[in-house]
Amino acid sequence: GSIGHPKENSLRSGTERAAELATEHLVRLGHRRVAHITYAPKWYTGPMERLRAFRRALDKAKVPFNEKLVGHGDFSAESGYRAMREILGRGRRFSALFAGNDTIAVGAIAALREAGLSVPRDVAVVGFDDLPIASYCQPTLTTVNTNPIVQGEQAAVAAFELLEGHRVGTRKCNLS
């Protein structure tokens, strides 16, 4: 990831585009009121990139963005649960959720079920990162696979290049 420093060495993983595609998937399914829970607080770059991608996908589809349908997590399932309870408490109806990661999605699903809502009948949920826990959800969680092994391999190559005295700069990580 990037912290935006002009002299940094970083790999850009393409997760922003993947987040846009995940949101587009929900819109293609007919959802017009889509919620989002970030996977980390606002001061982290990654979750804000995904939030921007979420908004961009809604804008492209001419689906209104509603700030009251956005919650912020802090990496944990518990924070996904709390954020979903906050969104539900705001009284704004929605039919889908794009969760910032699968851990957030698991907590949000628990809050949805506690509120008497069924996934996916009442609320469709898409997670992010394709963590192993996604396949144990009932029903199985729809999620975005970010190919962490490929990311790790490319980060290792960049680290070796740095050790050899080469500047890496900012590179786009090929996830396919």
Side-chain angles (χ1 to χ4, degrees):
S2 171
I3 60 168
H5 190 278
K7 293 184 179 181
E8 76 181 359
N9 297 293
S10 66
L11 294 173
R12 304 292 299 173
S13 64
T15 60
E16 192 168 349
R17 178 66 183 135
E20 192 172 340
L21 291 170
T23 306
E24 288 172 0
H25 169 72
L26 291 168
V27 170
R28 275 193 310 277
L29 291 175
H31 298 285
R32 296 296 175 263
R33 293 182 315 272
V34 185
H36 177 60
I37 301 175
T38 67
Y39 67 89
K42 295 177 183 182
W43 56 85
Y44 286 90
T45 303
M48 294 305 99
E49 288 175 345
R50 291 183 196 176
L51 177 58
R52 279 193 305 274
F54 169 75
R55 290 190 71 163
R56 192 168 45 251
L58 294 180
D59 288 345
K60 284 182 184 176
K62 300 196 181 345
V63 172
F65 171 77
N66 185 338
E67 186 70 41
K68 298 220 183 269
L69 294 180
V70 175
H72 298 280
D74 67 8
F75 302 102
S76 68
E78 181 182 346
S79 72
Y81 173 85
R82 283 192 316 265
M84 179 50 66
R85 286 189 45 104
E86 288 174 18
I87 291 170
L88 289 167
R90 294 174 188 155
R92 302 289 193 243
R93 293 181 50 95
F94 59 96
S95 63
L97 168 68
F98 168 46
N101 70 20
D102 294 344
T103 304
I104 294 296
V106 168
I109 289 169
L112 289 166
R113 288 200 172 126
E114 184 179 275
L117 297 168
S118 170
V119 174
R121 187 183 70 234
D122 299 319
V123 179
V125 177
V126 172
F128 204 93
D129 291 331
D130 197 16
L131 297 179
I133 195 165
S135 62
Y136 293 100
C137 292
Q138 289 298 320
T140 301
L141 178 64
T142 298
T143 184
V144 175
N145 184 320
T146 57
N147 295 312
I149 292 173
V150 172
Q151 290 184 55
E153 288 170 348
Q154 291 188 19
V157 167
F160 283 120
E161 289 177 18
L162 285 170
L163 289 171
E164 292 169 355
H166 304 287
R167 177 154 161 61
V168 172
T170 300
R171 293 184 180 176
K172 177 93 169 145
C173 185
N174 182 6
L175 297 183
S176 54

